Amino acid sequence: MKVKVIPVLEDNYMYLVIEELTREAVAVDVAVPKRLLEIVGREGVSLTAVLTTHHHWDHARGNPELARLRPGLAVLGADERIFSLTRRLAHGEELRFGAIHVRCLLTPGHTSGHMSYFLWEDDCPDPPALFSGDALSVAGCGSCLEGSAQQMYQSLAELGTLPPETVFCGHEHTLSNLEFAQKVEPCNDHVRAKLSWAKKRDEDDMPTVPSTLGEERLYNPFLRVAEEPVRKFTGKAVPADVLEALCKERARFEQAGEPRQPQARALLALQWGLLSAAPHE
């Protein structure tokens, strides 16, 4: 299983997942279809489906044109508002593309119909991969726009139980997220080290994806709502209340700060074999 990381728009990522034996491919969150098809052609793969995490324009805007250019293409997701949806998926449903298995995980909060996708191959040395859209990002999570804090907490808690492997998120918001994480936990050495690493990536105009769930549990405050420093920062004790307070504090933090400086704007596509991601030091 090979993943092509494709920066698009201002700070979005779309992905092309390739099953290397059959050369079958699945796209995730198609925002710029012509760019995707350039890479599909260059890789010599057969695009069979699109997995859309949620209906927002920057994650689904390319579906209609891609469906027009590729008649019969399956466009899959959990929300009927997704452009050109051909089949609505259910929580826990499993799909198969060549040797690649896909488990569909409904993760409401950012939107009511947000779906994350957990992909793996049997008997393969490559670790599994989670495509989390805006449910979970590097050191952060999406804004809770259509769900409750309890729903968001349950969604993140479910993602947090997955194997501690690779996470491909929907946006390049890592620097801002880590700066907020440092405010929440100023004594967290993992936050400090990750922030230093992310600043170097930013200077080199390189993406900070993928991450891993194992790492996220160490520095992502939204996965650390049971930790004493995070509870102390929010003044709350119940996990969902801690998360709700974190979301409010982050919104104030972002309003007070400078506009985000997205990384990797100039990159057309960056290939990451799931075993060859650069170490996060």
Side-chain angles (χ1 to χ4, degrees), residues 15-16 24-30 36-37 46-53 59-60 62-78 82-89 93 95-97 102 117:
Y15 299 97
L16 182 68
E24 189 171 354
V26 180
V28 180
D29 282 355
V30 177
L36 175 71
L37 291 177
S46 175
L47 181 65
T48 57
V50 173
L51 300 174
T52 304
T53 60
H59 294 260
N63 290 351
E65 183 179 359
L66 190 61
R68 179 182 64 81
L69 294 171
R70 293 294 176 94
L73 184 71
V75 179
L76 309 175
I82 292 171
F83 301 133
S84 302
L85 187 71
T86 60
R87 185 163 74 84
R88 188 173 180 180
L89 300 172
E93 185 172 349
L95 311 172
R96 185 82 178 260
F97 301 99
V102 180
Y117 301 99

Side-chain angles (χ1 to χ4, degrees), residues 181-198:
Q182 190 169 57
K183 179 180 179 182
V184 176
E185 292 189 273
C187 296
N188 186 323
D189 291 338
H190 300 289
V191 173
R192 188 180 300 111
K194 186 71 174 183
L195 179 57
S196 176
W197 175 86

Side-chain angles (χ1 to χ4, degrees), residues 98-166:
I100 298 175
H101 298 264
V102 180
R103 183 178 302 142
C104 305
L105 302 171
L106 190 63
T107 46
H110 181 63
T111 67
S112 59
H114 192 290
M115 185 75 85
S116 299
Y117 301 99
F118 183 67
L119 278 65
W120 77 97
E121 291 185 14
D122 293 329
D123 303 318
C124 177
D126 293 343
L130 172 67
F131 293 87
S132 58
D134 286 356
L136 177 69
S137 57
V138 182
C141 69
S143 301
C144 190
L145 301 178
E146 294 184 357
S148 66
Q150 180 66 34
Q151 284 180 308
M152 178 73 86
Y153 166 70
Q154 290 173 338
S155 294
L156 292 174
E158 177 161 15
L159 295 182
T161 65
L162 294 172
E165 306 293 357
T166 314

Side-chain angles (χ1 to χ4, degrees), residues 10-11 172-177 179-180 199 202 250-262 265:
E10 183 178 3
D11 58 19
E172 182 59 64
H173 291 168
T174 302
L175 271 180
S176 175
N177 288 344
E179 287 166 354
F180 175 68
K199 287 179 177 178
D202 185 51
R250 182 186 57 185
R252 284 192 282 266
F253 177 82
E254 291 177 346
Q255 289 171 1
E258 295 180 356
R260 292 174 176 138
Q261 296 298 316
R265 287 179 185 171

